[in-house]
Amino acid sequence: MKKELIVSHEDDLTKIALLEDGRLCELHEQEDKSDFIVGDLFIGKVKKLAPNLNAAFVNIGYEKDAFLHYQDLGPQYLTYRKFLKDTISKKQSTSSLKNFEIQPEIDKNGTVDKVIAKDDLVLLQITKEPISTKGPRISTQISLTGRFLVLIPFDNKVSISKKIRSTEEKERLRTLIDSIKPEGFGVIIRTVAEGKKVADLHNDMNQLVQNGKALLRTSREIKFRLKF
């Protein structure tokens, strides 16, 4: 007997069909009502520390606190913390990161209680949606993903997907992105960027820059469950 599992997702509705020899045996439908989608940005408040897990639980407005492991703070956590503090106090009044003061990287083998404290506000990104009794998994390493590019705040490197083999194409892409990327941001060039026209890549970069500006707006709002 030949069995097939077909999954489709459209308009926040997921359908799962089980076929046996081409005949429908089971059909399940589930509406996606989650307000916490991977990649969304939030401002959260540290609810409590869990030193035994080297992690913290963060309130972002969900019924279950989000889980933040020390390794998901990222090396630039102190820079993100300063950025959030400065924008809240309006010392940082521009979305440009060109002259923003980069802080020392945190110890990759450190402990959470040495870096963050209860009631701290953190700028974060959803990395795993909530499931069952667990809250969302989060990270303070922000990345803004487009169709062809990924924009990374507080970085300056241009990286290219290893799946792009052509040396000539790599050089073309690197030269192009170097000329259009904003200072204070790094870029990862995705595999699908290979062979794409300058206009396509430029449009993608412009959209990501607009999303980067939303970092500033997000930081000023001081609301939980704030997305853009």
Side-chain angles (χ1 to χ4, degrees):
M1 179 179 294
K2 181 181 178 181
K3 294 186 177 182
E4 295 178 89
L5 188 65
I6 301 176
V7 180
S8 69
H9 183 79
E10 185 176 358
D11 297 330
D12 296 329
L13 182 66
T14 299
K15 296 181 180 180
I16 303 175
L18 176 63
L19 306 181
E20 293 184 354
D21 291 334
R23 300 180 63 182
L24 179 64
C25 294
E26 295 183 31
L27 178 64
H28 302 274
E29 296 184 357
Q30 180 174 337
E31 186 177 0
D32 183 7
K33 297 181 179 180
S34 175
D35 291 329
F36 299 87
I37 307 300
V38 170
D40 282 350
L41 296 185
F42 289 81
I43 289 175
K45 188 174 185 179
V46 177
K47 190 75 171 291
K48 64 179 179 180
L49 302 182
N52 57 321
L53 299 174
N54 203 16
F57 290 93
V58 182
N59 175 17
I60 60 172
Y62 187 64
E63 58 184 324
K64 298 291 184 180
D65 291 332
F67 183 79
L68 177 62
H69 192 271
Y70 181 84
Q71 295 299 323
D72 292 323
L73 289 174
Q76 297 292 352
Y77 174 72
L78 297 180
T79 300
Y80 277 104
R81 186 173 70 180
K82 176 175 171 53
F83 175 84
L84 183 59
K85 181 179 179 181
D86 286 358
T87 51
I88 291 171
S89 64
K90 298 184 179 180
K91 290 181 180 179
Q92 175 73 11
S93 58
T94 173
S95 60
S96 172
L97 303 183
K98 180 178 180 180
N99 298 312
F100 192 84
E101 183 182 357
I102 302 299
Q103 302 299 296
E105 294 186 358
I106 63 173
D107 182 0
K108 65 179 181 179
N109 297 313
T111 57
V112 69
D113 56 315
K114 301 296 184 182
V115 180
I116 60 178
K118 184 178 180 296
D119 295 330
D120 278 357
L121 292 176
V122 290
L123 180 62
L124 54 90
Q125 191 165 36
I126 304 294
T127 58
K128 188 174 182 180
E129 297 173 24
I131 56 172
S132 186
T133 59
K134 296 183 179 180
R137 184 76 181 255
I138 58 177
S139 172
T140 62
Q141 299 184 82
I142 305 299
S143 61
L144 306 169
T145 303
R147 185 179 179 186
F148 306 118
L149 309 168
V150 179
L151 198 62
I152 303 174
F154 306 116
D155 197 350
N156 283 303
K157 298 188 297 292
V158 175
S159 304
I160 303 176
S161 168
K162 293 181 179 179
K163 293 183 179 180
I164 298 178
R165 304 292 187 182
S166 169
T167 301
E168 183 178 349
E169 177 63 2
K170 286 182 179 180
E171 184 61 29
R172 181 186 79 92
L173 291 170
R174 187 183 302 276
T175 300
L176 171 61
I177 297 306
D178 269 331
S179 69
I180 64 175
K181 80 174 186 69
E183 291 193 45
F185 287 89
V187 178
I188 298 174
I189 302 174
R190 305 179 68 187
T191 306
V192 289
E194 186 172 14
K196 291 299 181 291
K197 297 179 180 179
V198 172
D200 293 331
L201 298 176
H202 208 160
N203 289 339
D204 202 38
M205 175 64 75
N206 287 340
Q207 182 58 56
L208 291 176
V209 169
Q210 291 303 312
N211 290 348
K213 290 180 179 179
L215 284 172
L216 185 68
R217 296 196 301 271
T218 301
S219 301
R220 284 176 175 165
E221 291 289 341
I222 312 303
K223 291 181 181 177
F224 300 132
R225 300 187 58 190
L226 179 64
K227 304 183 294 181
F228 65 85

